[in-house]
Amino acid sequence: MGVKGALLGGGNSKRSDKARSKMMKVWILRASTTILLWTCVVQLTAIGETWGPRVLKGWPSCFTPSIPPFPVNSNGESTEVGGASVVAEKFVFPPKRIYKNNGYLMVSCNGGLNQMRGAICDMVAIARYLNVTLIVPELDKTSFWADPSEFQDIFDVDHFINSLRDEVRILKVLPPRLKRRVELGIFHSMPPVSWSDISYYHNQILPLFHKYKVVHLNRTDARLANNGLPVEIQKLRCRVNYAALRFTSQIEELGRRVIKILRANGPFLVLHLRYEMDMLAFSGCTQGCSTEEAQELTRMRYAYPWWKEKVIDSDAKRRDGLCPLTPEETTLVLRALDIDQSMQIYIASGEIYGGSRRMAALAAAFPNVVRKEVLLETDDLRYFQNHSSQMAALDYMVSLESDIFVPTYDGNMAKVVEGHRRYLGYRKTILLDRKLIVELVDQYTNGTFGWDEFSSSIKAAHVSRMGSPSRRLVIPDRPKEEDYFYSNPYECLPQSIHQLTSI
């Protein structure tokens, strides 16, 4: 029995050894397979950005002509009310793009709402190109308007992050360990060079990410060139502007209410009347102002050190077409263009300098002059008071949906709304030739010619200035003088090159 047990025990031992050997082979095979699979993933990720990410995620790369995500209703159809996309019940967000992260980009925007809007679009494109993670941009709180609004107070931050996740990783805040590095001053902060092409960011900025991991760009207005960029980058700038930057539900709801009220009373024209105190002080334009008002504007200009130009010849600047049109000049132009006097004129601006005295001529010629403060109850706007960027967002929405948009100065809102209206189907936007207008106005007011000649001259001058398809004006080495990308992003518009003409 002892021998038999021993023999049986020996047999069991042999079978146990075979089982352990077999299990070891299985584990070795599994480990080898896992290592092989991870090697493949790493290799695919390392392969160029052109096709690698598409293979991994099964989604078109950022550089596509489409601008997802699309708003859909419960039936999977896009929804619109009065030509404006309403807040959809759900959005189809793309899968996340997989890429090797080169660092973290912090951004501090400067200027008003639409100056910051363009900067945000540029910074997304730059982050995508450099393969870095973008931290949700910080908005300007120290400029003339002193608006304390954060990004999420104006834009739908979750939509912004998720709708672009197939392009660039966006975080609301830095990861804790990197936040601590920033608190200790271990990062690099700088203003990038204005109007730079993409090679500047590759050659000058990308090495800073490799060195510091976190880079903070502290001025972002007009830091990316208008022209000479790959079409894929231009299309991404458009995608951010027209699809990713969606206002908060509170702003959109109130904006749609204003549009509904206006639509109920017929067609309406939005007049972006840039005749606020800060605009006049900055530009030095005092046409029609009293001596006391001109002195007040001059004192204000000297009080703000970041307004570099201090001594300004108002008359010379006006003759050169560099001043915003006055309310009185604007009234003459609208009448000369045969704008229906019964049409609603919605004023998209802040408080007009000079108040009712300066608005008297416009109100007399067009009795249906309205503002959001008149159309809405005081309680509706209570949350938006002292938040100029949020008020500007309301005007932006109304401007997009107007039958006619007329800016009296080519500031940032005028330019960005112009481009957005082109994108929405070349909606009528009257681009006023201010230099010619002031010359014609002066000739009319001094009696050189009568009303009929004045009106026909104004009409003839603007027949081709209605926001129709055109090429941007390109001036090599003088980017400030050429057409702004966001005023006419023709790379993103539904047209062929042969349709484009010069204004």
Side-chain angles (χ1 to χ4, degrees), residues 117-129:
R117 186 185 184 106
I120 292 166
C121 299
D122 291 350
M123 292 300 112
V124 169
I126 290 165
R128 167 60 173 88
Y129 180 81

Side-chain angles (χ1 to χ4, degrees), residues 1 42 66 98 114 128 187 231 251 277 280 286 311 322 342 371 411 422 449 470 476 484:
M1 288 293 293
V42 171
S66 62
I98 300 173
N114 293 287
R128 167 60 173 88
F187 71 105
V231 68
I251 291 175
M277 185 178 185
L280 300 182
T286 58
V311 179
L322 300 177
S342 66
R371 303 177 63 97
R422 289 177 186 270
F449 48 64
S470 63
Y484 187 42

Side-chain angles (χ1 to χ4, degrees), residues 150-161:
E150 302 287 355
F151 186 99
Q152 63 270 19
D153 296 324
I154 299 174
F155 300 109
D156 184 335
V157 65
D158 292 322
H159 177 82
F160 175 70
I161 292 171

Side-chain angles (χ1 to χ4, degrees), residues 31-62:
S32 300
T33 303
T34 301
I35 292 171
L36 180 61
L37 287 174
W38 275 109
T39 301
C40 291
V41 170
V42 171
Q43 289 297 321
L44 284 173
T45 304
I47 292 175
E49 292 298 330
T50 304
W51 64 271
R54 301 190 197 184
V55 173
L56 293 172
K57 68 186 179 184
W59 190 268
S61 97
C62 84

Side-chain angles (χ1 to χ4, degrees), residues 272 274 279 407-416 434 484:
H272 184 42
R274 286 297 273 123
M279 180 73 250
T408 61
Y409 187 72
D410 54 356
N412 288 291
M413 178 170 170
K415 293 174 181 177
V416 177
R434 296 191 306 279
Y484 187 42

Side-chain angles (χ1 to χ4, degrees), residues 190-197 200-201 205 219 221-224:
M190 63 173 288
V193 176
S194 299
W195 312 110
S196 296
D197 62 23
Y200 163 79
Y201 289 94
I205 305 300
R219 288 189 68 86
D221 59 315
R223 305 293 151 157
L224 192 58

Side-chain angles (χ1 to χ4, degrees), residues 381-399:
L381 290 171
R382 181 174 299 168
Y383 178 77
F384 298 89
Q385 295 298 330
N386 301 318
H387 293 80
S388 60
S389 291
Q390 295 181 47
M391 296 286 265
L394 290 175
D395 283 343
Y396 187 96
M397 286 188 64
V398 179
S399 298

